[in-house]
Amino acid sequence: MASLLPLLLLGAMMWLLLIRPQQQRVRRQQELLQALEVGDEVITAGGMIGRIRAMNNERVEIELGPGVVVEFLRGAVSQRLVEPSNGEDDTIVLDDDDR
């Protein structure tokens, strides 16, 4: 019985450190994909940033720029961007002296 205790402890530690966090990441990604709506600004797994223009169960059309619409699998969306809360643009403009 005493030799079984370390094995059980090792299994519990693996579950806490490896399996549980991965399950949480998968659950959060699935929730994100279910919550996507037309008009959301998103980042794809490849790092492209754009706005969702149309979507169905499997695919999402994302406008990357004016007139540039690319079709992705829904699972390729990795993040939804959140607009600045104060309504101001968060772009930083550098003067010639700052460059």
Side-chain angles (χ1 to χ4, degrees):
M1 186 60 132
S3 63
L4 189 58
L5 185 61
L7 188 58
L8 289 174
L9 286 174
L10 181 63
M13 286 180 52
M14 284 184 59
W15 183 79
L16 281 173
L17 297 175
L18 299 173
I19 298 169
R20 186 170 180 264
Q22 179 62 25
Q23 288 174 339
Q24 289 176 338
R25 278 190 291 275
V26 168
R27 189 176 310 117
R28 281 194 308 265
Q29 180 67 13
Q30 288 173 343
E31 290 171 359
L32 168 72
L33 295 177
Q34 292 300 320
L36 288 176
E37 297 176 356
V38 173
D40 287 346
E41 192 168 10
V42 295
I43 300 177
T44 67
M48 295 187 185
I49 299 173
R51 192 167 301 275
I52 296 176
R53 292 296 171 210
M55 50 191 244
N56 62 27
N57 291 337
E58 296 178 12
R59 298 175 188 222
V60 177
E61 288 184 5
I62 299 176
E63 184 175 17
L64 302 175
V68 180
V69 178
V70 180
E71 189 173 13
F72 290 93
L73 292 175
R74 194 175 186 131
V77 175
S78 63
Q79 291 182 316
R80 180 179 6 189
L81 294 177
V82 179
E83 297 293 328
S85 60
N86 58 5
E88 295 180 10
D89 189 11
D90 60 349
T91 304
I92 297 174
V93 178
L94 297 176
D95 295 330
D96 288 335
D97 297 335
D98 295 335
R99 292 184 188 172

